Amino acid sequence: MNALTSVVSMADEVPYRSPIAAAWPCTHDGEFAVGGMALSQVVDAVGGTPCYLYDRAYMAERVTRLRRALSQTVELYYAIKANPMPAVVAHVARLLNGLDVASAGEMRVALDAGVAAEKISFAGPGKSEEELLQAYASNVLVNVESRRELHLLAKMSERSGRAARIALRVNLPFELKASGMKMTGGARQFGIDAEDVPRSIAETAALGLKLEGFHLFTGSQSLHAEAVIEAQRKSYECAREWAELTCEPIKSINLGGGLGIPYGDADARISEEEVVTHLNCLAEETRRDFDGVSLVLELGRYLVGEAGLYVSRVIDRKVSRGKTFLVVDGGMHQHLAASGNFGQVLRKNYPVAINGKLFGNEVSSVVGPLCTPLDLLASNAKLGRAEQGDLVVIFQSGAYGRSASPSGFLGHPAVREALV
Ligand SMILES: Cc1ncc(COP(=O)(O)O)c(C=O)c1O
């Protein structure tokens, strides 16, 4: 054997471990740790698998770091849709400026968390009259997305003699490049088309509504700082032009969010530093251009996604025609996103590892108990060798997990959740 082949074969034998899993803290016994305790102990404490476990300190660290780095002119909101567990919402709400909700149900969670109505905003393309009335009654800021909403809120305002607080959500004439989900540009169900904004501003004034600003959410899950920066810059410029048309000075410009997290081992992280630096420049510009206007950043997964694990237990280990399947007690009914069925164009494995057997080269597929081939949590993943009873851990599971999954499908028990 020459020197080169010996290096290659040694490298082949190095057991694989997902870099994302490798960054997660472990106990001295080589188990993953959650809230400073061994994972298996936490699982027992919450009553077993399957379960979502959210690390309280990890979440706090992420939110606090970002909040500290940003100018006070930038308000940081949490979009509850990412993870509406009341304990999570209350935990992060204490550390940031406000909450964004997408339904009356989420609005109740936000208000129950003790957040002032003035610090809650409500977006969504199909708000029912009842939802609008609840938002109006609570004095929550409504991101208005159509003329219908404008007129309903005007009727409510007239009846009670208090103007509804609104922002205009706008379908901008450009998109968030290089993102997992684009929500502006072209024809969209979200917001009012940019070309109709001057007319909507005039209508808002005629209807006696309190126009506080603009909601400009361009998209989600971008790992490219330059794309996010470009969208924020263009959004700001649009808002600055429209602000000249309002009767009363505006109070806020919501620049959306868009910051993504790595879901695959090969995904690069977005440069938080570049985004923050640019936002702080925009904040300075805002202070020069306006009096007392805040920029709002509305983030979901970036704040909570990496702090969550989804844990299931191997109930069977099967080999079919040479291929190993780890059949676990959790699945797509509880973690649709990990199965690749939550809007992903190409299915990619989430980072996954076997607790206590953190390195490995055995190729296995992790499947759930549902009677459908869609119930696939990891396909041909390199894992430590797992046996019946072992815990399978799926990382990056703190956002769009339980609440974004079809839990009623096939009648399995509900998943447990804990903030540890
Ligand atoms: C209006 C709005 N705000 C915030 C978010 C949160 O996005 P993310 O979790 O990617 O930060 C979304 C996601 O779809 C959204 O539609």
Side-chain angles (χ1 to χ4, degrees):
M1 191 189 297
N2 66 31
L4 182 63
T5 49
S6 105
V7 169
V8 170
S9 64
M10 274 173 63
D12 277 351
E13 282 157 21
V14 174
Y16 181 74
R17 185 175 173 191
S18 144
I20 290 172
W24 191 272
C26 284
T27 66
H28 57 86
D29 293 341
E31 274 202 56
F32 292 117
V34 184
M37 275 191 294
L39 178 69
S40 55
Q41 205 178 10
V42 177
V43 168
D44 289 346
V46 303
T49 54
C51 56
Y52 279 98
L53 303 174
Y54 312 119
D55 192 296
R56 182 184 287 273
Y58 192 137
M59 253 178 216
E61 195 272 327
R62 167 63 57 97
V63 175
T64 311
R65 185 185 71 209
L66 187 55
R67 182 50 280 171
R68 283 206 187 119
L70 287 167
S71 147
Q72 290 304 313
T73 301
V74 183
E75 298 205 340
L76 187 54
Y77 273 45
Y78 170 54
I80 290 189
K81 57 171 71 69
N83 187 332
M85 184 193 185
V88 167
V89 174
H91 180 49
V92 297
R94 278 193 290 274
L95 307 170
L96 33 73
N97 304 94
L99 298 173
D100 169 66
V101 302
S103 67
E106 286 194 356
M107 190 163 60
R108 274 192 294 281
V109 173
L111 290 166
D112 287 351
V115 173
E118 292 66 39
K119 294 293 174 190
I120 299 173
S121 58
F122 181 11
K127 302 177 198 78
S128 69
E129 188 165 346
E130 199 181 327
E131 286 181 308
L132 288 169
L133 182 56
Q134 287 180 26
Y136 171 73
S138 309
N139 209 23
V140 158
L141 179 75
V142 179
N143 291 318
V144 164
E145 316 220 6
S146 70
R147 293 192 69 220
R148 169 189 159 269
E149 291 186 2
L150 269 188
H151 284 266
L152 283 171
L153 288 166
K155 240 183 3 190
M156 292 167 196
S157 304
E158 200 184 337
R159 195 154 167 212
S160 292
R162 169 174 60 80
R165 299 176 56 228
I166 67 157
L168 292 180
R169 181 172 185 180
V170 183
N171 173 23
L172 294 158
F174 55 86
E175 43 183 46
L176 174 58
K177 292 178 191 154
S179 63
M181 197 163 57
K182 299 177 199 305
M183 293 177 73
T184 56
R188 299 280 173 190
Q189 71 265 50
F190 310 108
I192 292 163
D193 288 342
E195 47 282 24
D196 294 335
V197 170
R199 191 162 57 117
S200 298
I201 291 174
E203 199 163 8
T204 300
L207 292 169
L209 297 167
K210 205 186 275 178
L211 177 58
E212 296 196 358
F214 301 99
H215 180 256
L216 311 170
F217 190 87
T218 51
S220 190
Q221 184 53 20
S222 176
L223 297 174
H224 302 273
E226 63 286 10
V228 170
I229 289 170
E230 184 191 285
Q232 287 173 345
R233 151 81 29 214
K234 287 181 171 173
S235 301
Y236 178 78
E237 279 161 13
C238 289
R240 189 168 46 196
E241 268 183 37
W242 294 324
E244 289 180 9
L245 307 176
T246 63
C247 297
E248 299 288 327
I250 60 163
K251 294 185 176 169
S252 63
I253 301 171
N254 186 324
L255 296 175
L259 276 71
I261 60 172
Y263 282 110
D265 284 338
D267 287 345
R269 275 182 182 281
I270 186 164
S271 165
E272 182 180 299
E273 207 184 328
E274 282 179 50
V275 175
V276 164
T277 304
H278 176 256
L279 275 169
N280 288 345
C281 288
L282 269 187
E284 247 180 65
E285 218 171 308
T286 307
R287 285 194 295 275
R288 281 200 301 272
D289 293 342
F290 297 96
D291 190 18
V293 166
S294 300
L295 298 177
V296 177
L297 201 61
E298 184 176 296
L299 297 175
R301 78 184 81 223
Y302 192 75
L303 300 181
V304 299
E306 296 189 72
L309 308 177
Y310 176 66
V311 188
S312 59
R313 200 180 285 283
V314 178
I315 52 180
D316 206 347
R317 180 190 157 87
K318 290 166 94 168
V319 178
S320 165
R321 300 192 171 129
K323 183 170 167 167
T324 302
F325 291 91
L326 304 173
V327 187
V328 297
D329 58 3
M332 67 174 280
H333 56 307
Q334 298 176 347
H335 202 336
L336 186 70
S339 76
N341 293 297
F342 188 60
Q344 293 95 331
V345 181
L346 292 175
R347 192 197 173 283
K348 275 197 301 197
N349 286 342
Y350 271 44
V352 55
I354 310 298
N355 188 41
K357 301 173 179 173
L358 309 181
F359 298 87
N361 273 345
E362 188 170 284
V363 175
S364 320
S365 289
V366 179
V367 298
L370 306 187
C371 216
T372 161
L374 296 178
D375 194 8
L376 175 67
L377 293 177
S379 170
N380 298 321
K382 272 190 178 174
L383 302 171
R385 185 187 161 89
E387 305 292 345
Q388 210 174 313
D390 280 337
L391 295 175
V392 176
V393 181
I394 299 186
F395 293 82
Q396 312 299 78
S397 296
Y400 305 108
R402 187 194 62 78
S403 67
S405 302
S407 58
F409 188 43
L410 299 196
H412 285 274
V415 65
R416 296 175 174 87
E417 260 185 324
L419 175 67
V420 187

